[in-house]
């Protein structure tokens, strides 16, 4: 974060990270603490949250509150609002996602509902509730994690890709709409990133895929872009690949390439 006092002034004193226990969310936590922001860390696994909070507090003089909470819960926005009603939250980072890989039919209706709750409904409801708090104080920020997968339909992750498209379009619209209230909204479009979730999905190597990023690099680029642009594609190679796929190729050809690449990564051998 380039100018820490300015950043803390605009987006502090507290930041809430939804999906904070590992990967990109934990990297956001680390970098926001380094910038001097206090943290509300939300995820399901309390022990991971506490381990992260202890490690961060050993290194930075910040306060941290941990909340074990399933973001698929219908009452998620009320619950998080109540749990933070005594805090001045200036930044919301919505990082969690649910993205089962495999056949559309192998995923149950409940899994499809869960995906919509975690990836679409919760970010909208948190942006709505916490956005009003940011509006009332006249400044703040919202970051929604998006994905290169959201730029086109993709087999084996069809519903996840559609939900990530939703997140990006939501972020872009809110970015323009909330600017007059002093609220900076950013859609952070990541490509393959070495989070535990991604690594555990055992992707097969694909010669044409851009190199994977580290979670720290993604968080750093997002925080640097906040307040400057409505969305950022992290990683120079991801930006190049995306330019090629979205601007140079006809959409139908881009769809074919993505389908082939994803089948190679996750399809049957
Ligand atoms: N990794 C990639 O290659 C990649 C690529 C492009 C975009 N992205 C985007 O980047 C973000 C993070 O990716 P990731 O791979 O680290 O995702 P992830 O598996 O969703 O993990 C992120 C964090 O969210 C928490 N989380 C997940 N579901 C939750 C729920 N229902 N309630 C509360 N917390 C929940 C996890 O902790 P708990 O399990 O403890 O709850 C974890 O701390 C996602 O929005 C994803 O779409 C990732």
């Amino acid at each position: 974060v380039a100018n820490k006092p300015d950043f803390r002034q605009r987006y502090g004193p507290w930041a809430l990270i939804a999906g904070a226990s590992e990967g990109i969310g934990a990297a956001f936590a680390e970098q926001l603490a380094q910038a001097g922001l206090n943290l509300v860390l939300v995820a399901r696994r309390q022990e991971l949250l506490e381990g992260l909070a202890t490690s961060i507090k050993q290194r930075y003089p910040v306060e941290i509150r941990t909340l074990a909470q399933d973001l698929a819960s219908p009452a998620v926005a009320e619950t998080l609002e109540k749990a933070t009603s005594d805090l001045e939250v200036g930044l919301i980072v919505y990082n969690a996602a649910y993205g089962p890989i495999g056949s559309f039919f192998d995923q149950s209706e409940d899994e499809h509902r869960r995906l919509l709750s975690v990836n679409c409904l919760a970010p909208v409801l948190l942006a709505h509730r916490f956005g009003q708090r940011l509006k009332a104080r006249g400044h703040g920020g919202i970051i929604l994690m998006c994905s290169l997968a959201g730029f086109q339909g993709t087999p084996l992750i069809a519903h996840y890709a559609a939900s990530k498209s939703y997140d990006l379009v939501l972020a872009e619209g809110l970015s323009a709409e909330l600017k007059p209230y002093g609220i900076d909204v950013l859609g952070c479009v990541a490509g393959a990133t070495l989070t535990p979730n991604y690594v555990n999905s055992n992707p097969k190597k694909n010669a044409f895929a851009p190199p994977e990023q580290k979670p720290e690099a993604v968080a750093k680029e997002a925080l640097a872009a906040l307040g400057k642009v409505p969305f950022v594609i992290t990683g120079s190679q991801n930006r190049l690949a995306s330019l090629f796929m979205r601007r140079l190729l006809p959409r139908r050809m881009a769809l074919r390439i993505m389908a082939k690449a994803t089948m190679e990564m996750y399809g049957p051998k």
Side-chain angles (χ1 to χ4, degrees):
V1 176
N3 185 333
K4 288 180 193 168
D6 281 1
F7 188 93
R8 194 169 56 231
Q9 183 70 29
R10 187 158 181 79
Y11 304 114
W14 286 81
L16 181 147
I17 305 170
S21 62
E22 61 185 16
I24 300 168
F28 272 116
E30 177 85 25
Q31 291 172 31
L32 290 170
Q34 198 176 21
L37 274 72
N38 300 318
L39 304 171
V40 181
L41 304 178
V42 184
R44 288 163 301 182
R45 288 169 291 173
Q46 180 71 26
E47 66 292 352
L48 281 193
L49 291 177
E50 275 169 14
L52 179 66
T54 306
S55 146
I56 288 178
K57 277 195 286 193
Q58 278 163 358
R59 285 169 295 123
Y60 307 104
V62 296
E63 289 179 60
I64 303 186
R65 190 173 285 184
T66 59
L67 291 172
Q69 167 72 32
D70 186 346
L71 292 157
S73 143
V76 64
E78 291 101 298
T79 308
L80 294 187
E81 182 168 52
K82 273 194 198 132
T84 59
S85 59
D86 56 329
L87 307 177
E88 191 182 342
V89 177
L91 179 65
I92 313 297
V93 179
Y94 196 93
N95 174 65
Y98 180 54
I101 297 165
S103 156
F104 184 68
F105 295 125
D106 286 348
Q107 295 150 24
S108 66
E109 283 187 14
D110 278 351
E111 284 176 277
H112 284 292
R113 275 198 202 92
R114 180 171 190 81
L115 190 151
L116 281 174
S117 299
V118 178
N119 298 8
C120 302
L121 190 56
V124 169
L125 296 179
L126 291 192
H128 191 256
R129 247 173 220 255
F130 284 87
Q132 292 179 64
R133 282 163 71 169
L134 302 182
K135 182 182 165 195
R137 69 181 210 139
H139 57 103
I142 299 173
I143 299 176
L144 302 184
M145 277 308 298
C146 309
S147 168
L148 285 180
F151 282 137
Q152 68 287 300
T154 310
L156 303 180
I157 51 166
H159 194 182
Y160 168 79
S163 75
K164 289 285 130 180
S165 181
Y166 178 104
D167 291 333
L168 178 58
V169 173
L170 176 69
E172 287 175 335
L174 290 181
S175 171
E177 186 174 333
L178 304 188
K179 198 80 179 163
Y181 304 120
I183 306 173
D184 301 322
V185 183
L186 177 79
C188 174
V189 183
T193 309
L194 294 164
T195 62
N197 181 43
Y198 172 80
V199 173
N200 292 337
S201 75
N202 287 320
K204 287 185 213 97
K205 285 279 167 229
N206 179 322
F208 300 103
E212 290 135 340
Q213 280 195 291
K214 290 197 172 134
E216 296 74 25
V218 174
K220 190 171 172 195
E221 287 186 52
L223 294 177
L226 181 62
K228 300 192 180 87
V229 285
F231 77 94
V232 63
I233 299 172
T234 64
S236 55
Q237 306 262 32
N238 286 333
R239 282 192 286 280
L240 207 62
S242 168
L243 185 78
F244 180 67
M245 295 284 280
R246 291 185 301 132
R247 295 276 169 262
L248 300 180
L249 287 186
R251 188 167 171 98
R252 258 179 287 179
M253 197 177 288
L255 284 173
R256 272 208 296 276
I257 290 176
M258 262 317 267
K260 191 165 181 290
T262 311
M263 293 307 283
E264 276 171 18
M265 273 170 89
Y266 291 118
K269 285 177 197 142

